[in-house]
């Protein structure tokens, strides 16, 4: 256990501070589980250092999170929900009553109440988890449909797939680490599918697909699943909640919940899109989202998986070429393995597109 004394002092939580342990498997922020003792009982919090290289306006991001979680809380209350502190993230204020603290080194920290008895799943175990996570993300979008005003863009052009493609092209041209020669097959795969990148952004530009408040990072481990009941309890990782398209949200659910291989799986024979998981996702998502989806959005649900999986593959490949500066890596070549897995999933989804369409049409 390590002591984050400055952080613990900044967020006055009741009890005696015991220490912190690194927690979770996110690629971006530094997350810690904090241990406190209150009347002989252990109580936990989350201390999180926000990556301010990636999120350039942390105060603007925290303003979004404050607004979003307050709105969710009001919706849960209105609906008469129980255990609201386990269904929505709760920010713990600093001694100055702010939602974040900037430490002596300039890092930004926030603290959440720890959601007990629920976990983020890295690799899907059964169709119930697909159903539950999609239902939770759909309910999240539904709750935020009437959020007043416009949220700050925490990362501009986050799901602008064309700019992601252009950034890859620049990284290939610059090739600052001389890595391009080793990934020619991946580069060729990317170029063969260039036409895919504009589909959703063009439809958004013409207004055929509406802009909505979306999560933008709906990977499976960003919904906490109740360990007893298996219910999708709490949508977390709200850094990228901002205006976007539901298609990128649904697509990322397909990317991360329809296959039992890890995100950087090297044995690509294990990597196939599983249609039963897909069917469970569609069922869960439409239960909470069908009330607001337009026919065009619904029609494009199956292709959204290939689109965002391609986009994330482009981002992993770009990061590899740029020297692994964006996503946390734990070994050499991890980003290229992540890219290869994504591209294999794209291929598998392309092969099963007709079957995926039939499932959505049947609902
Ligand atoms: P990252 O942006 O790095 O993915 P997350 O906000 O997703 O960071 O947090 C990382 C992990 O920490 C999550 O996958 C989850 O397991 C855990 N976590 C985050 N917030 C909470 C919370 N309030 N209660 C319990 N676990 C949490
Ligand atoms: C990052 O923060 P985390 O680990 O949930 C990334 C997502 C990627 C994902 C790939 C802010 O998500 O966009 O899809 O890794 N988040 C950011 O696993 O870039
Ligand atoms: Mg996360």
């Amino acid at each position: 256990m390590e002591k984050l004394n400055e952080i613990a002092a900044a967020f006055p939580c009741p009890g005696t501070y015991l220490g912190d342990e690194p927690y979770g498997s996110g690629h971006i922020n530094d997350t810690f589980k904090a241990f406190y003792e209150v009347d002989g009982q252990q109580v936990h919090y989350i201390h999180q250092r926000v990556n301010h290289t990636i999120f350039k306006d942390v105060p603007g991001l925290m303003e979004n999170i404050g607004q979003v979680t307050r709105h969710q809380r009001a919706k849960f209350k209105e609906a008469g929900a129980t255990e609201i502190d386990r269904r929505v993230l709760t920010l713990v204020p600093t001694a100055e009553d702010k939602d974040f603290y900037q430490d002596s080194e300039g890092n930004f920290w926030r603290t959440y109440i720890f959601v007990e008895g629920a976990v983020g799943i890295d690799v899907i175990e059964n169709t119930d988890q697909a159903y539950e996570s999609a239902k939770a993300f759909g309910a999240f979008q539904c709750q935020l449909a009437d959020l007043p005003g416009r949220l700050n863009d925490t990362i501009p052009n986050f799901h602008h797939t064309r700019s992601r493609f252009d950034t890859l092209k620049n990284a290939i041209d610059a090739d600052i680490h001389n890595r391009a020669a080793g990934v020619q097959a991946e580069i060729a795969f990317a170029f063969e599918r260039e036409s895919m990148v504009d589909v959703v952004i063009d439809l958004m530009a013409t207004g055929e697909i509406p802009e909505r408040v979306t999560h933008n990072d709906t990977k499976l481990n960003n919904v906490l699943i109740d360990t007893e009941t298996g219910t999708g309890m709490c949508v977390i990782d709200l850094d990228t909640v901002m205006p976007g398209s539901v298609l990128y949200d649904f697509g990322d659910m397909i990317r991360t919940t329809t296959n039992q291989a890890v995100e950087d799986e090297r044995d690509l024979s294990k990597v196939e899109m599983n249609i039963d998981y897909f069917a469970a996702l569609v069922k869960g998502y439409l239960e909470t989202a069908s009330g607001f989806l337009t026919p065009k959005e619904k029609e494009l649900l199956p292709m959204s998986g290939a689109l965002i999986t391609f986009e994330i593959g482009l981002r992993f490949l770009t990061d590899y070429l740029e020297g692994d500066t964006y996503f946390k890596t734990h070994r050499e070549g991890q980003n290229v393995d992540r890219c290869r897995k994504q591209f294999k999933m794209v291929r598998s989804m392309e092969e099963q597109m007709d079957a995926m369409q039939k499932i959505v049409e049947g609902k």
Side-chain angles (χ1 to χ4, degrees), residues 73-88:
R73 188 171 296 277
K75 292 277 168 174
F76 278 123
K77 278 200 181 134
E78 225 174 83
T82 56
E83 294 192 284
I84 295 180
D85 284 350
R86 296 185 67 229
R87 294 183 194 275
V88 53

Side-chain angles (χ1 to χ4, degrees), residues 26 221-222 237:
N221 68 14
N222 283 335
D237 206 343

Side-chain angles (χ1 to χ4, degrees), residues 26-28 55 158 217 219 222 237 255 263 312 315 326:
H27 294 335
I28 305 296
F55 297 107
F158 191 57
D217 189 4
K219 60 196 226 189
N222 283 335
D237 206 343
R255 177 179 81 86
E263 194 176 45
I312 308 285
R315 292 175 61 197
Y326 186 95

